[in-house]
């Protein structure tokens, strides 16, 4: 059996069909899936990927898992709780279970461990075989690398066939072109540096010649919400003796700041340059206000109802709707908030629709999209043990203990980012069991 899960937002549905283990059956699987995605109004981008996945898995079931007279099974499922489309193809050979990998495949976003290929700019089998994971994450054995390499080549050839490229692939190519040419810029200013991938750093490094005023970099390692661990020195960016730490916060009140700092206080965070640890010691605000409201509810409905009341309370104090931000881990809960606030006559606007500063409406956003924003009042909803950390985003400790810790830290930072968007008032809530990251 094979399965995979591209991301979408859709209502809960299931489709299951038995098909003959033949080329014709595999073709039919693709057509049926395509029809089903259309009926479910799945976005064209996800439909396209979904069709390819069904075609690949069904072809494998017909080719490698064939048993005369037995069908293979296609199951499509839209999961509303987290907004995923799950595709499962079970071949007819239930007696021959494939060997499961004990470690996850590398993703795109880290210097070592996940994303090794682009992070270290590895272009050939020889380079991949010799690459070091720099003591982070569990090492991949030569045998496992040998298994993985054909998948890398297959992926790249599929991209070539479709004349497509990944974002980081384009960065790698851009860096290559810049390295081969003269620098294109005199100065480069970088913000939110903590979330840049090594492939993106290489583009910036290539754009400007090393010098005293080459790169001006700002970032906060406590706000790292993507898996981008970087050693700037190894990318030719020297920061030693050139850094300045900003310790006064002019955005949030001391009450909001010290409560939010409690989210990160149990852990150590690697510094921006990737050569040591950073801390929030001495980080302070000159502003004062009320302590954050931190509340648990028995059910999500009650939590959303309380949010509506809280927003109405803020509005009655003369705060404009656009000065209020509401965020959640997932769009599913955000949709419910949207409906309830609208039903109560409160204007709303989604951050993903990039409303201009003049646009009316309480801003609704996922925690990820809150990065870099600020509001007079912020409500962070759905801070449950199930959502933060979100287990599907966390590598099991049994697979890779170091990656597990790193994934948990990223989820912790996400909550920190969401809470520190508030200037004057912060309300944090959940229903059922609270997130273990909520300070006690
Ligand atoms: N020296 C200052 N005096 C008064 N207000 C300031 C000062 N510096 C910044 N601010 C205010 O503090 C808030 C945060 O500033 P800014 O967005 O530059 O911070 P930041 O470090 O980029 O934050 P983050 O990385 O968390 O998004 C803004 O509302 C800004 O106007």
């Amino acid at each position: 059996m094979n399965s995979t899960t591209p991301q979408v937002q859709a209502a809960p549905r299931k489709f299951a069909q038995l098909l003959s283990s033949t080329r014709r059956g595999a073709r039919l699987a693709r057509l049926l899936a395509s029809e089903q995605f259309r009926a479910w109004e799945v976005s064209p981008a996800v439909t396209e990927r979904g069709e390819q996945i069904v075609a690949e898995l069904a072809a494998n079931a017909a080719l490698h898992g064939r048993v005369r007279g037995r069908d293979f099974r296609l199951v499509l499922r839209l999961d509303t709780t987290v907004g995923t489309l799950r595709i499962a193809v079970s071949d007819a050979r239930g007696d021959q279970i494939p060997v499961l990998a004990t470690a996850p495949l590398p993703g795109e976003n880290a210097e070592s461990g996940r994303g090794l290929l682009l992070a270290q700019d590895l272009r050939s089998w020889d380079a991949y075989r010799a690459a070091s994971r720099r003591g982070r994450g569990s090492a991949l054995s030569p045998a496992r690398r040998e298994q993985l390499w054909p998948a890398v080549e297959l992926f790249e050839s599929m991209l070539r066939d479709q004349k497509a490229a990944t974002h980081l692939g384009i960065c790698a190519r851009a860096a290559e072109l810049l390295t081969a040419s003269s620098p294109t810029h005199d100065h480069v200013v970088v913000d939110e540096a903590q979330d840049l991938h090594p492939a993106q750093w290489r583009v910036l490094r290539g754009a400007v010649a090393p010098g005293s005023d080459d790169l001006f970099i700002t970032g906060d390692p406590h706000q790292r919400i993507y898996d981008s661990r970087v050693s700037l020195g190894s990318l030719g960016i020297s920061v030693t003796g050139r850094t300045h730490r900003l310790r006064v916060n002019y955005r949030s009140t001391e009450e909001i700041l010290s409560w939010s700092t409690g989210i990160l206080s149990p852990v150590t965070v690697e510094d921006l340059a990737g050569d040591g640890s950073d801390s929030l010691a001495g980080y302070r605000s000159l502003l004062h206000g009320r302590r954050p409201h931190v509340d648990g509810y028995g059910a999500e409905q009650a939590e959303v109802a309380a949010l509506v009341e809280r927003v109405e309370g803020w509005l009655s104090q003369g705060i404009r709707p656009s000065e209020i931000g509401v965020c959640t881990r997932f769009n599913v809960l955000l949709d419910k908030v949207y409906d309830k606030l609208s039903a109560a006559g409160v204007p709303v606007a989604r951050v993903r629709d990039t409303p201009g500063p003049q646009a009316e409406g309480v801003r609704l956003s996922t925690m990820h999209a809150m990065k870099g924003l600020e509001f007079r009042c912020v409500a962070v909803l759905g801070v449950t043990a199930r959502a933060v950390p979100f287990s599907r985003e966390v590598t099991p400790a049994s697979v890779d203990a170091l990656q597990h810790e790193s994934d948990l830290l990223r989820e912790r930072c996400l909550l920190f980012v969401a809470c520190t968007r508030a200037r004057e008032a912060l309300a944090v809530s959940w229903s059922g069991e609270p997130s273990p990251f909520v300070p006690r």
Side-chain angles (χ1 to χ4, degrees), residues 199-223:
Q200 296 169 318
W201 280 114
R202 277 193 204 96
V203 174
L204 300 175
R205 177 67 291 173
V208 60
S212 60
D213 248 347
D214 51 355
L215 287 148
F216 179 85
I217 301 167
T218 61
D220 179 356
H222 302 93
Q223 297 190 37

Side-chain angles (χ1 to χ4, degrees), residues 172-352:
R173 179 73 184 129
E176 200 173 68
L177 293 172
L178 283 166
T179 309
S181 71
S182 318
T184 49
H185 291 72
D186 296 327
H187 313 284
V188 170
V189 177
V190 184
D191 195 11
E192 304 288 354
Q194 73 280 355
D195 282 325
L196 284 187
H197 185 277
Q200 296 169 318
W201 280 114
R202 277 193 204 96
V203 174
L204 300 175
R205 177 67 291 173
V208 60
S212 60
D213 248 347
D214 51 355
L215 287 148
F216 179 85
I217 301 167
T218 61
D220 179 356
H222 302 93
Q223 297 190 37
R224 190 172 280 135
I225 58 172
Y226 297 102
D227 196 7
S228 292
R229 290 164 303 169
V230 169
S231 164
L232 289 181
S234 73
L235 292 160
I237 299 170
S238 160
V239 294
T240 315
R242 304 169 79 183
T243 60
H244 183 76
R245 195 176 299 270
L246 302 175
R247 292 239 178 255
V248 180
N249 182 312
Y250 293 95
R251 172 186 293 137
S252 310
T253 63
E254 183 60 29
E255 289 72 15
I256 292 172
L257 195 61
S258 64
W259 187 86
S260 305
T261 302
I263 297 170
L264 292 180
S265 57
V267 292
T268 312
V269 169
E270 197 169 291
D271 70 10
L272 211 53
D275 330 306
S277 60
D278 203 330
S279 98
L280 288 170
Y283 191 38
R284 65 187 202 288
S285 167
L286 308 175
L287 311 165
H288 282 281
R290 293 189 60 171
R291 289 176 54 192
H293 299 274
V294 182
D295 298 305
Y297 296 86
E300 195 178 81
Q301 231 178 354
E303 185 189 2
V304 177
L307 178 268
V308 174
E309 263 184 49
R310 187 166 307 285
V311 169
E312 287 173 334
W314 283 333
L315 293 173
S316 71
Q317 291 165 32
I319 292 163
R320 285 191 289 119
S322 59
E323 294 176 313
I324 300 173
V326 177
C327 73
T328 63
R329 181 71 169 83
F330 305 118
N331 276 308
V332 181
L333 178 54
L334 208 57
D335 290 344
K336 293 177 188 168
V337 169
Y338 186 102
D339 292 345
K340 290 290 177 195
L341 283 173
S342 302
V346 176
V348 278
R350 289 179 191 275
V351 165
R352 70 166 181 230

Side-chain angles (χ1 to χ4, degrees), residues 14-19 61 71-75 88-92:
K14 183 179 168 183
F15 170 85
Q17 180 71 48
L18 285 171
L19 294 144
D71 294 336
F72 74 88
R73 184 179 166 83
L74 167 70
V75 179
V89 172
S90 313
D91 64 35

Side-chain angles (χ1 to χ4, degrees), residues 7 14 33 95 104 117 129 140-141 206 250 265 282-283 290 296 306 318 334 341 377 384 397 417 440:
Q7 298 279 315
K14 183 179 168 183
D95 49 325
L117 293 161
R129 184 172 45 190
L140 281 186
S141 66
Y250 293 95
S265 57
Y283 191 38
R290 293 189 60 171
L334 208 57
L341 283 173
C377 305
T384 65
V417 168
R440 294 302 154 118

